[in-house]
Amino acid sequence: MSATDGNGLKDRIIRVGTRKSQLARIQTDSVVEMLCKQYPGLHFEIVAMSTTGDKILDTALSKIGEKSLFTKELENALERNEVDLVVHSLKDLPTSLPPGFTIGAICKRENPHDAVVFHPKSCGKTLNALPDKSVIGTSSLRRAAQLKRSFPQLEFRDIRGNLNTRLKKLDEKEDFSAIILAAAGLRRMGWENRIGQILNPEDCLYAVGQGALAIEVRAKDQEILDMVSALHDGETVLCCIAERAFMKHLEGGCSVPVAVSTLLKDSQLYLTGAVYSLDGSDSLRETMQTSVNYPQQNEDGPNDDVQHVGITAKNIPHRAQEAAEKLGNRRI
């Protein structure tokens, strides 16, 4: 099957795995919609399931100590051939995937920055304008470590639950003056009007892969791999290869605050990477760059299905992907 027609899949229903949360369903629906536009003759069915991360709502993610909290059950279904592909938030996927799996597509990235949602009483303010000792809710060690440095006058407390739950906790109680969420999730849910402030990279670098959707497939399922590869966004792929390589190099996970910001401009890829102590008092931060100006070559042969930090992207120049990965592997 070529990467453009999907003819080999016309006689079957392609099953798409997803988490059950409202945001996950919206994200998966958007991916299926893109696939339907690309391959109008194919039929898709969405299979929703709960993951460990969805079930454990009373414990901070960093204390659970499992890197595949939101992916394991979905990958099990993929392994058992119960689904043919799985849609994830890329930031939920560990930098090393289990054997036999690969990220077959990374879609064009939504705004990757963090956003501040304020309590109705503090509407129209910014974090700097809140009274001293105001309590800010976040479930992320990365956000808390950075924001403690940028806003030492504020207090940060853990808040768990899906987007709907966290907004409800903010609005209906007086516990928090504001909460920090990914701008991408709020926009996809249609709640952009709740964003009171977007945090710039000076105040808060974002998570590796934040704002990007990934499609995970069985590495040897060539038909599905070819089909989903049409959704790759070249710029997002190169940025996310650099980010994932940076995180893998540091062996950071949910429990180590690792943060990034990437930019592709005039064939130069810029990566700002940082690692923080839990209280934000110590940090290492550096900006690095490399050229990714390489032509696409026909690379049939041993490099045909080479992966870069779990990503297979044959339609993006291999040497550009290599350069992005090397950039992330540099020491800071």
Side-chain angles (χ1 to χ4, degrees):
M1 187 192 90
S2 79
T4 54
D5 58 29
N7 279 333
L9 299 166
K10 272 190 174 166
D11 298 329
R12 55 185 268 207
I13 292 171
I14 299 157
R15 295 149 305 168
V16 183
T18 178
R19 288 166 59 194
K20 278 184 173 172
S21 77
Q22 187 184 355
L23 177 58
R25 290 300 303 264
I26 286 171
Q27 292 179 166
T28 302
D29 287 347
S30 74
V31 167
V32 170
E33 193 180 324
M34 286 188 276
L35 287 170
C36 286
K37 273 185 190 163
Q38 190 78 27
Y39 308 104
L42 299 188
H43 302 284
F44 297 89
E45 177 188 309
I46 293 173
V47 180
M49 56 195 87
S50 294
T51 65
T52 307
D54 295 314
K55 293 168 189 166
I56 305 173
L57 294 174
D58 55 353
T59 309
L61 295 179
S62 56
K63 291 181 180 156
I64 301 169
E66 166 65 68
K67 283 190 181 177
S68 52
L69 280 172
F70 295 108
T71 60
K72 206 173 202 171
E73 286 80 359
L74 295 163
E75 284 172 339
N76 289 344
L78 198 54
E79 189 171 29
R80 293 191 299 258
N81 287 315
E82 291 166 6
V83 296
D84 300 298
L85 56 123
V86 174
V87 179
H88 301 282
S89 292
L90 180 59
K91 72 174 181 177
D92 290 339
L93 277 174
T95 51
S96 295
L97 300 183
F101 298 118
T102 189
I103 296 166
I106 299 178
C107 307
K108 188 169 175 60
R109 196 176 209 166
E110 176 57 273
N111 183 332
H113 296 98
D114 288 315
V116 188
V117 179
F118 291 91
H119 188 279
K121 285 185 178 173
S122 302
C123 221
K125 291 191 174 175
T126 62
L127 287 180
N128 259 333
L130 291 174
D132 287 6
K133 305 287 185 192
S134 291
V135 177
I136 312 301
T138 174
S139 58
S140 156
L141 293 174
R142 169 190 59 81
R143 290 170 181 148
Q146 293 183 83
L147 294 173
K148 281 172 186 172
R149 292 169 67 87
S150 299
F151 305 97
Q153 74 280 18
L154 303 176
E155 291 185 4
F156 296 89
R157 277 193 214 144
D158 195 60
I159 183 169
R160 280 292 320 279
N162 59 35
L163 276 184
N164 310 56
T165 308
R166 280 185 259 182
L167 283 172
K168 202 171 176 187
K169 284 179 183 174
L170 172 69
D171 290 343
E172 294 182 4
K173 297 182 179 178
E174 302 286 325
D175 298 353
F176 300 100
S177 297
I179 58 176
I180 314 295
L181 300 166
L186 289 161
R187 288 172 65 144
R188 288 182 182 127
M189 292 284 277
W191 295 338
E192 201 166 357
N193 64 324
R194 290 301 310 265
I195 297 175
Q197 181 180 358
I198 295 278
L199 295 172
N200 64 47
E202 293 312 307
D203 289 328
C204 195
L205 296 171
Y206 43 82
V208 167
Q210 185 159 310
L213 299 182
I215 304 173
E216 188 178 18
V217 300
R218 292 179 289 273
K220 290 198 173 0
D221 192 342
Q222 200 62 51
E223 282 193 319
I224 296 290
L225 188 53
D226 284 346
M227 176 195 71
V228 301
S229 70
L231 300 191
H232 266 312
D233 177 72
E235 182 175 334
T236 304
V237 169
L238 293 176
C239 287
C240 289
I241 284 175
E243 292 172 18
R244 284 170 65 81
F246 176 74
M247 188 167 188
K248 189 174 184 179
H249 187 59
L250 292 170
E251 293 189 330
C254 275
S255 54
V256 182
V258 174
V260 294
S261 174
T262 46
L263 173 69
L264 182 57
K265 189 178 179 186
D266 299 329
S267 299
Q268 289 289 313
L269 180 59
Y270 300 86
L271 166 69
T272 299
V275 60
Y276 299 88
S277 59
L278 289 181
D279 64 358
S281 59
D282 291 326
S283 73
L284 283 170
R285 173 174 169 148
E286 193 165 317
T287 299
M288 305 162 278
Q289 72 182 86
T290 191
S291 170
V292 288
N293 186 18
Y294 296 101
Q296 177 67 299
Q297 295 171 315
N298 288 327
E299 291 162 347
D300 292 328
N303 287 332
D304 206 21
D305 280 333
V306 72
Q307 290 192 31
H308 294 277
V309 279
I311 298 161
T312 301
K314 286 191 290 185
N315 46 353
I316 292 158
H318 171 62
R319 288 177 67 194
Q321 294 182 62
E322 245 178 9
E325 187 167 6
K326 281 181 182 164
L327 179 67
N329 284 332
R330 287 190 200 165
R331 287 186 181 276
I332 62 165

